[in-house]
Amino acid sequence: MAKDTAGPLRLLRETHEERVLAVLRTQGAMTRAQLAEQTGLSRATLSSIVQHLLAGQALTETGAEEGASRGRGRPVTVLTLNPGGGLAVGMDLQHRAVQVTVANVAHEIVASTGIACSERTPWARRIELASELVESLAAANSLSLKALAGVGVGVVGPVPETGGHPATPEDSPTRAQGKQSKTHSRAARSRLVHDGLAERFDVPVYVDNNTRLAALGEAIWGAAAGLQNVLYLRLSYGVGSGLVLGGHLFSGAGGAAGELGHVSVDPEWPPCPCGGRGCLERYVSLGAVLEECGFRQFDEVLRRLEDGDEAVRSVIARAGERIGTVLAAACNTVNPEMVVIGGELAAAGDVLLDPVRDTVRKHTHSQVRRGLEITPATLGHDDAARGGIALVLRRSALLAGYPAAPADPASGARFHDLG
Amino acid sequence: MAKDTAGPLRLLRETHEERVLAVLRTQGAMTRAQLAEQTGLSRATLSSIVQHLLAGQALTETGAEEGASRGRGRPVTVLTLNPGGGLAVGMDLQHRAVQVTVANVAHEIVASTGIACSERTPWARRIELASELVESLAAANSLSLKALAGVGVGVVGPVPETGGHPATPEDSPTRAQGKQSKTHSRAARSRLVHDGLAERFDVPVYVDNNTRLAALGEAIWGAAAGLQNVLYLRLSYGVGSGLVLGGHLFSGAGGAAGELGHVSVDPEWPPCPCGGRGCLERYVSLGAVLEECGFRQFDEVLRRLEDGDEAVRSVIARAGERIGTVLAAACNTVNPEMVVIGGELAAAGDVLLDPVRDTVRKHTHSQVRRGLEITPATLGHDDAARGGIALVLRRSALLAGYPAAPADPASGARFHDLG
């Protein structure tokens, strides 16, 4: 099988490509020589990557720059990201809001905006709202949607397959009684979102769960930027997670990977609509925590924490311990480099995270906790929309694959974790 | 980024390639027309795959076969696996035995054998034993080791990186006091195994944890043959697991993915050498179960089960429940299609597996348990050796990668779980 022959090398090269883009993104235009110095890549590797990025219109090459060190033979030219290389739109259709972000092929966020909506806002209307936001962003920033490569959109709930091929109700029955209709509505919703946006923009549309897309966003632009193995946990009205493994988003066999909100904290505790008992979500969701603290808004909880309210602090700490227990098991399973914690609850900071860290440290194998970092998310409301952008940039034909390369087990080794 | 542009299509094609090989392996020689029918692949896809397999010497093409349906124009030829296309050796250096298996590039197992050793047998000696077994197998089956593509070898304990580049002690400190020396010896052992075998056979050597390799073996030849997302749990003197995700072996950031034996079953329970408390391994390892039953050999336990010994049955059932609790959390994390249970304890059959299944069903999200199968392993002592063979066949240059192909989001979609 060729998997591990070319696959690992391909991943390695793509990581190098990301490094090149990152340097240009953060430090601006530079010569090949400067780029080689900054990325630490060999001239040979760099030149094949630059050639590829130029072909993919992610970079542009311009004439010599003042004071640019002169290379042997060929005239010195300067490489810059090509903002006109194409556009990718990311959307996040949340329970209470619609978020839209636009980026260019160089991964530069061009514009971002959001609008609140009610939980009862029909999905067709949310799609319309998102589309209008895209068009107004384009107009305001004089972007041509002719350059649109695709739309990546996050929706609530499991999405069995990314790429706008949501499971039909027949595909996804669920054993939990009374959930059939919910599964049905979810599948119908994903289809509606995909078809509606594909029809409106006439580009490929990729639909995925928005927590999963937030994980991808954090692994590219956020707290885990550049890391290959990341577990993202979102603590909001629902508790869910997304996994980036070996640099790629992982959905699991049925699109339900990362259902940490439904890991049982105590089998003796009450049943959960998911069919389980004592699920984490019932004890640490935003709603559960607010109820336990006796407040309506989490801001109030945060204020009490600042005032040193011991009762509130102990509620948050207990939540942290329960979260830590579940995270420890998940970390022993996938051995991530970093756990990123997002969602409203993360605003409690170390009052929440320290108990999480202590519990995870206590209950993970030494090899698993070694070097494991548990840190708050750094992206804002557009985390999932950014993940949607990543889907488009990775899937679209804007950047074609590398030509086949010879096997290189040594350099491939690091990537064996994903074959 | 090109990841999802070419990556998924590559994975898709490799799965097709495996399908072609599987059909030829199970049904013998056939024409392209028959192969297309059997695999359900389009003529175009099939022809590019066949062309590639012929180039890689995995297949040979021979003259027309009696009664073979005549295709338009070109003469009908018959495709068969090419047993002479090359050899791959898999080894498993276990605590108490050394196992060696030889296969050809067509994934056909040519020969397999094993030899017992003592836990105190030095590793250098185990390497020698394994090497001698390879040479005697080659002689007995008149195989030329000149055709050897590589050796894939399983060892006990975490192996940070596959490919024979084990972590040095400096790379892998561990926070657990008193484990430094163990980490050191493990790293030294992997290096010894790699260097010893590379020197002896002068081919690439890939070293990985043998439980992980057993998982790969089961996912290719065993209970989970052909499945993409598999969790393999080994219940022996130690309790460990291996993950095949998206068709690939997954090791995690530090090579410690699948440390389910060290998930805490009860935080109040005694400390474990790993640094945790109440780790599953302390309660369901072969040693723990034998002690609880008051026997020396597991055969005795199995006899008592046959005789309907209720005390023994309840010990096994309780172990099953504890295993189920940990598996449920792991399944909610990675959402596998199948859980394969191996190791001596699996011989208890449904007395163990039914409580495991019930507990997993109770504590997994409906989307996660939907279609999840929990089944005993079907490979024997050579499971990890077979996994080693898979490493060689996937890594070796025998089968080069496909030429770059255009992006195809639709066909790529199913593989989005791994990018």
Side-chain angles (χ1 to χ4, degrees):
Chain A
M1 311 290 79
K3 281 195 186 70
D4 298 35
T5 305
L9 195 65
R10 173 173 298 273
L11 282 182
L12 186 68
R13 281 162 168 259
E14 284 156 357
T15 311
H16 288 163
E17 182 183 82
E18 281 159 2
R19 216 147 99 209
V20 170
L21 289 171
V23 167
L24 290 171
R25 192 154 57 241
T26 52
Q27 300 174 43
M30 57 180 73
T31 66
R32 281 180 167 74
Q34 293 164 329
L35 202 47
E37 195 181 308
Q38 291 298 319
T39 57
L41 296 172
S42 75
R43 292 301 191 94
T45 307
L46 184 64
S47 103
S48 101
I49 286 170
V50 164
Q51 188 178 11
H52 173 253
L53 290 173
L54 285 168
Q57 298 179 40
L59 299 186
T60 54
E61 194 161 22
T62 60
E65 183 189 52
E66 274 311 316
S69 63
R70 181 158 299 285
R72 282 215 202 79
R74 67 152 63 168
V76 175
T77 59
V78 176
L79 296 163
T80 54
L81 296 174
N82 174 15
L87 292 176
V89 163
M91 294 180 177
D92 184 10
L93 307 181
Q94 306 161 1
H95 277 301
R96 299 175 176 74
V98 166
Q99 183 71 35
V100 167
T101 301
V102 182
N104 59 37
V105 289
H107 273 200
E108 290 176 314
I109 302 302
V110 179
S112 186
T113 183
I115 185 170
C117 66
S118 130
E119 279 204 86
R120 286 178 305 284
T121 305
W123 285 84
R125 176 60 188 150
R126 290 166 195 248
I127 294 165
E128 206 178 310
L129 284 171
S131 305
E132 287 161 6
L133 287 180
V134 171
E135 280 148 8
S136 57
L137 276 184
N141 298 272
S142 52
L143 303 169
S144 163
L145 290 179
K146 285 196 188 65
L148 187 59
V151 178
V153 50
V155 296
V156 179
V159 177
E161 279 184 17
T162 308
H165 303 285
T168 64
E170 294 65 35
D171 299 340
S172 53
T174 151
R175 289 189 198 163
Q177 285 313 313
K179 301 253 305 170
Q180 188 67 33
S181 65
K182 194 165 182 185
T183 306
H184 184 298
S185 70
R186 274 181 185 150
R189 178 199 304 163
S190 301
R191 203 178 303 107
L192 181 73
V193 168
H194 174 268
D195 298 350
L197 291 170
E199 193 270 340
R200 177 112 177 199
F201 293 102
D202 192 24
V203 292
V205 174
Y206 310 106
V207 183
D208 204 341
N209 165 272
N210 57 4
T211 301
R212 197 175 291 145
L213 291 185
L216 186 57
E218 287 288 341
I220 293 177
W221 285 279
L227 296 186
Q228 296 291 301
N229 299 283
V230 180
L231 192 163
Y232 169 80
L233 181 69
R234 171 174 273 165
L235 301 167
S236 182
Y237 292 93
V239 172
S241 80
L243 295 168
V244 172
L245 304 179
H248 298 291
L249 208 49
F250 180 70
S251 310
E259 281 290 358
L260 299 191
H262 296 284
V263 170
S264 179
V265 181
D266 184 340
E268 304 313 313
W269 290 355
C272 169
C274 83
R277 282 189 157 276
C279 292
L280 177 68
E281 185 172 271
R282 286 178 54 83
Y283 302 91
V284 305
S285 71
L286 190 53
V289 168
L290 286 173
E291 191 182 338
E292 211 179 333
C293 293
F295 298 121
R296 280 276 182 79
Q297 301 296 331
F298 198 65
D299 294 352
E300 184 59 24
V301 171
L302 295 175
R303 263 193 298 280
R304 296 304 178 100
L305 286 178
E306 276 176 12
D307 303 347
D309 183 322
E310 267 317 311
V312 171
R313 164 178 289 267
S314 72
V315 168
I316 300 298
R318 197 158 53 248
E321 286 161 18
R322 286 168 174 167
I323 293 163
T325 308
V326 169
L327 275 179
C331 289
N332 272 339
T333 305
V334 296
N335 182 203
E337 296 156 86
M338 182 180 275
V339 172
V340 177
I341 300 191
E344 291 88 335
L345 234 63
D350 290 341
V351 179
L352 176 78
L353 293 191
D354 283 341
V356 170
R357 295 184 182 110
D358 294 343
T359 313
V360 169
R361 199 174 303 116
K362 257 191 235 142
H363 301 303
T364 43
H365 185 279
S366 55
Q367 287 283 106
V368 169
R369 63 173 178 264
R370 172 166 71 81
L372 173 62
E373 207 177 325
I374 300 179
T375 181
T378 60
L379 296 181
H381 297 307
D382 69 342
D383 51 3
R386 287 189 183 218
I389 286 168
L391 282 189
V392 175
L393 294 179
R394 292 177 167 201
R395 289 287 197 84
S396 74
L398 278 176
L399 299 172
Y402 286 97
D408 182 348
S411 50
R414 274 201 58 244
F415 295 89
H416 180 69
D417 53 0
L418 285 183
Chain B
M1 309 293 81
K3 280 195 189 68
D4 298 31
T5 307
L9 195 65
R10 172 172 298 272
L11 283 182
L12 185 70
R13 280 162 168 259
E14 284 156 358
T15 311
H16 287 165
E17 183 182 82
E18 281 159 2
R19 216 148 98 210
V20 169
L21 289 172
V23 167
L24 291 172
R25 193 155 54 244
T26 51
Q27 299 172 46
M30 57 180 74
T31 65
R32 282 180 166 75
Q34 293 164 327
L35 202 48
E37 194 182 307
Q38 290 299 318
T39 57
L41 295 172
S42 76
R43 292 302 190 92
T45 307
L46 183 65
S47 104
S48 100
I49 286 170
V50 165
Q51 189 178 7
H52 172 253
L53 289 173
L54 285 169
Q57 298 179 42
L59 299 187
T60 54
E61 194 161 22
T62 60
E65 185 188 50
E66 272 312 316
S69 64
R70 182 158 299 285
R72 281 217 202 78
R74 68 151 63 165
V76 175
T77 58
V78 177
L79 297 163
T80 55
L81 296 174
N82 174 15
L87 293 176
V89 163
M91 294 179 178
D92 184 9
L93 306 182
Q94 306 161 2
H95 278 300
R96 298 174 178 73
V98 167
Q99 183 72 35
V100 166
T101 301
V102 182
N104 61 36
V105 289
H107 273 203
E108 291 175 314
I109 302 303
V110 179
S112 187
T113 184
I115 185 170
C117 66
S118 130
E119 279 205 86
R120 286 178 306 284
T121 305
W123 285 84
R125 176 59 187 151
R126 290 167 195 249
I127 294 165
E128 206 178 309
L129 284 172
S131 304
E132 286 161 7
L133 286 180
V134 170
E135 280 148 9
S136 57
L137 275 182
N141 298 272
S142 51
L143 303 168
S144 161
L145 290 179
K146 285 196 187 66
L148 187 60
V151 178
V153 51
V155 296
V156 180
V159 177
E161 281 185 14
T162 307
H165 303 286
T168 64
E170 294 64 38
D171 300 341
S172 53
T174 149
R175 290 189 197 165
Q177 285 317 311
K179 301 253 304 168
Q180 188 65 37
S181 65
K182 193 167 181 185
T183 306
H184 185 298
S185 70
R186 274 182 185 147
R189 177 199 303 163
S190 301
R191 203 179 304 107
L192 181 72
V193 168
H194 173 267
D195 298 349
L197 291 170
E199 193 270 340
R200 177 114 178 197
F201 293 103
D202 191 25
V203 293
V205 174
Y206 310 106
V207 183
D208 205 341
N209 167 272
N210 58 3
T211 301
R212 198 174 291 144
L213 291 186
L216 186 56
E218 288 287 342
I220 293 177
W221 286 278
L227 296 186
Q228 295 291 301
N229 299 284
V230 179
L231 193 163
Y232 169 81
L233 181 69
R234 171 174 273 166
L235 300 167
S236 181
Y237 292 92
V239 172
S241 79
L243 295 168
V244 172
L245 304 179
H248 297 287
L249 208 48
F250 180 69
S251 309
E259 280 291 357
L260 300 190
H262 296 283
V263 169
S264 179
V265 181
D266 183 340
E268 304 313 314
W269 288 354
C272 170
C274 84
R277 281 188 158 278
C279 293
L280 178 68
E281 185 172 271
R282 287 178 54 85
Y283 302 92
V284 305
S285 70
L286 190 54
V289 168
L290 285 174
E291 192 183 338
E292 211 177 334
C293 294
F295 298 120
R296 281 273 183 81
Q297 301 297 330
F298 198 63
D299 295 352
E300 183 58 24
V301 171
L302 295 175
R303 264 193 297 281
R304 295 305 179 98
L305 286 178
E306 277 175 11
D307 303 347
D309 182 323
E310 267 315 311
V312 171
R313 165 177 287 268
S314 71
V315 169
I316 301 297
R318 197 157 56 247
E321 286 162 19
R322 287 167 174 169
I323 292 163
T325 308
V326 170
L327 274 179
C331 289
N332 272 339
T333 306
V334 296
N335 182 204
E337 297 155 85
M338 181 181 275
V339 171
V340 177
I341 300 192
E344 291 88 336
L345 236 64
D350 290 341
V351 178
L352 177 78
L353 293 192
D354 283 341
V356 170
R357 295 184 182 111
D358 294 345
T359 313
V360 169
R361 200 174 303 117
K362 258 191 232 141
H363 301 303
T364 43
H365 185 278
S366 54
Q367 287 284 104
V368 169
R369 64 173 178 264
R370 172 168 72 82
L372 173 63
E373 207 178 325
I374 300 180
T375 180
T378 59
L379 297 182
H381 297 306
D382 70 340
D383 51 2
R386 288 191 184 215
I389 286 168
L391 282 189
V392 175
L393 294 179
R394 292 177 168 201
R395 288 288 196 83
S396 75
L398 278 175
L399 298 172
Y402 286 97
D408 182 347
S411 51
R414 273 201 60 244
F415 296 89
H416 180 68
D417 54 0
L418 284 184

